[in-house]
Amino acid sequence: MSEQAAVPVPGDFKSDVKPVWCPGCGDFGVLNAMAKAMARLALRPEQVAVVSGIGCSSRIPAYTSCYGFHGVHGRALPTGTGLKLARPDLTVIVTGGDGDGYSIGGNHFLHACRRNVDLTYIVMDNRVYGMTKGQPSPTTETHWTSKLAPHGTGLNEFHPMAIALAAGANFIARGFTGDPNGLADILVQAITTPGFSFVEVLSPCVTFRPEQKDWKKTVRAGNLASTADPVLAAREIFADDGMNLGVLYAGERPPYQPPVGAAQRPPADLEAQFAL
Ligand SMILES: Cc1ncc(C[n+]2csc(CCOP(=O)(O)OP(=O)(O)O)c2C)c(N)n1
Ligand code: SF4
């Protein structure tokens, strides 16, 4: 960002690295919405860390000018949690795909919701493993068939919002990459709401799920009514077909704070305890 620029603009939050995503991939919309949200919040790139796992969607840290960590498949949330506890001054945004977050990283998802550390988790859900060429993911529809799953999975779909609510996430919303302004509004709320904020983003994989291009016709903007009552939120979730957008739940649970002094201990002190 230029030193003279008083007001940040979205371009300040993008790096010079050209995304290698397929043309039309929904993940471009998430990058744009994140940049808009950070500019709107008047953050500076060095105040933000973007942490990811592995997948097409997890490439996003490299495309931002913020601090970034492109880590291990399914392990973005524990990395982001540790970073936030060690550096509470940073805004930590954890990003990834439905495979990364709900398959190999599923257990971390549960416990990140339960811990309620103050970070924002954005899942670019395309209901498929894009990077590894189209295997079904936990959110893939039961009857979706492909060369790799010719008879469909025959499995019930994972329900991220219901699980996030049950496990204790303090903010739960759904956005769509075809509406980057609406998504940016949601991200502003997610980042500014204390505690663990979970944002499910419908992000089409135009290569392995080309039919998802039709999501622009089926989503319903602003249809989720925001509530702080988990019982009402649960009712709304189970009446939802996955295409309603907006904030579902904004709770009042205080974020996890480490015991006084715990996060400040220098690494040398900790290392000394493990010396043989
Ligand atoms: C430990 C480990 N297991 C498996 C893989 C292979 N792998 C890489 S990305 C990926 C799934 C990506 O799917 P998703 O998270 O939905 O992201 P997308 O590519 O669709 O954005 C898998 C299984 C890996 N890199 N590491
Ligand atoms: S394979 Fe799918 S998820 Fe990956 S970049 Fe291409 S469109 Fe996006």
Side-chain angles (χ1 to χ4, degrees), residues 264-276:
Q264 284 81 38
R265 289 172 66 190
D269 272 17
L270 294 169
E271 276 168 24
Q273 289 180 8
F274 290 94
L276 294 174

Side-chain angles (χ1 to χ4, degrees), residues 176 178 211-221 243:
F176 173 51
E211 72 280 11
Q212 291 176 347
K213 290 181 200 161
D214 284 347
W215 277 350
K216 61 179 175 300
K217 296 182 209 144
T218 48
V219 293
R220 298 172 214 99
M243 288 290 131

Side-chain angles (χ1 to χ4, degrees), residues 1 16 37-38 48 55 57 71 116 171 174 199 213 247 270 273:
M1 182 166 26
D16 297 333
M38 291 188 275
V48 182
S57 41
N116 199 32
F171 177 94
R174 184 185 292 124
V199 183
K213 290 181 200 161
V247 176
L270 294 169
Q273 289 180 8

Side-chain angles (χ1 to χ4, degrees), residues 220-243:
R220 298 172 214 99
N223 235 33
L224 288 174
S226 181
T227 174
D229 179 347
V231 176
L232 290 181
R235 262 191 223 146
E236 201 176 345
I237 283 179
F238 287 107
D240 170 54
D241 64 356
M243 288 290 131

